[in-house]
């Protein structure tokens, strides 16, 4: 299974924000959309960074509640690891485990944002894949 298959079932909508949005704006968006991360984009839709709920918590813990008035650009992670639609589930799991993050923006050949995959999506599809294998094995054993 690859990223394109996951995007087909979950859709391509990605929550985005501008780098000059405040941490408060971003927190409200995360809460309203019930998601864990937002991709920060520039004028031409170019990916400039990523902000997850962990970044918000860390900023408040280190700098106090005042951090909620800071712009996202002060806090966001700038070196964003992305993947293409052809990437496999295994490749995604490896990158997420290595980088210790739970969100992976998907880009096309022009580096334009075309979707996002969360660890929840990966686990869900991985379980479905394993269940299909088990059922195929059972069928094979029953007929063998
Ligand atoms: P997460 O596990 O996704 O909540 O993110 C944990 C940390 O990794 C936060 O500091 C995020 O800004 C950062 N992060 C999340 N996704 C990515 C990514 N695809 N590439 C680089 N950093 C990321």
């Amino acid at each position: 299974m690859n990223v394109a298959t996951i995007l087909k079932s979950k859709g391509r909508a990605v929550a985005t924000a501008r780098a000059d949005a405040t941490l408060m704006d971003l927190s409200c968006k995360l809460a309203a959309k019930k998601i864990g991360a937002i991709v920060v984009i520039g004028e031409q839709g170019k990916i400039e960074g990523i902000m997850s709920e962990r970044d918000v918590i860390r900023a408040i813990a280190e700098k106090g509640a005042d951090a909620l008035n800071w712009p996202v650009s002060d806090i966001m992670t700038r070196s964003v690891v992305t993947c293409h639609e052809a990437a496999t589930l295994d490749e995604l799991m490896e990158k997420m485990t290595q980088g210790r993050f739970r969100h992976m923006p998907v880009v096309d050949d022009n580096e334009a944002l075309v979707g996002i995959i969360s660890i929840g999506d990966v686990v869900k599809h991985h379980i479905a894949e394993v269940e299909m294998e088990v059922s195929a094995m059972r069928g094979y054993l029953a007929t063998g």
Side-chain angles (χ1 to χ4, degrees):
M1 192 176 299
N2 64 13
V3 169
T5 314
I6 301 178
L7 289 183
K8 233 174 246 163
S9 79
K10 78 164 278 193
R12 290 170 178 272
V14 186
T16 59
R18 289 302 176 94
D20 60 357
T22 64
L23 249 63
M24 187 66 197
D25 297 334
L26 186 118
S27 305
C28 290
K29 215 172 201 177
L30 288 174
K33 293 185 175 286
K34 298 190 172 79
I35 53 173
I38 284 184
V39 181
V40 183
I41 54 164
E43 294 274 319
Q44 257 72 52
K46 187 176 172 290
I47 297 177
E48 293 184 343
I50 190 163
M51 275 287 297
S52 89
E53 52 202 358
R54 283 206 184 160
D55 298 313
V56 179
I57 297 295
R58 194 181 313 121
I60 294 170
E62 287 175 3
K63 313 290 179 191
D66 259 8
L68 288 170
N69 299 313
W70 292 6
V72 162
S73 54
D74 284 4
I75 307 290
M76 68 187 186
T77 301
R78 288 174 185 274
S79 55
V80 184
V81 180
T82 58
C83 67
H84 287 93
E85 292 195 45
T88 64
L89 221 56
D90 285 348
E91 285 165 354
L92 236 59
M93 283 194 278
E94 198 183 322
K95 275 190 180 176
M96 284 179 168
T97 308
Q98 264 176 11
R100 292 171 184 258
F101 50 72
R102 298 166 294 176
H103 299 89
M104 182 84 81
V106 186
V107 295
D108 66 15
D109 290 341
N110 301 314
E111 295 299 308
L113 187 59
V114 295
I116 189 164
I117 305 285
S118 75
I119 190 74
D121 301 319
V122 172
V123 170
K124 184 177 148 190
H125 285 84
H126 185 61
I127 290 172
E129 209 171 43
V130 170
E131 279 172 352
M132 265 169 57
E133 277 170 18
V134 168
S135 131
M137 283 288 221
R138 285 211 176 107
Y140 174 73
L141 289 173
T143 55

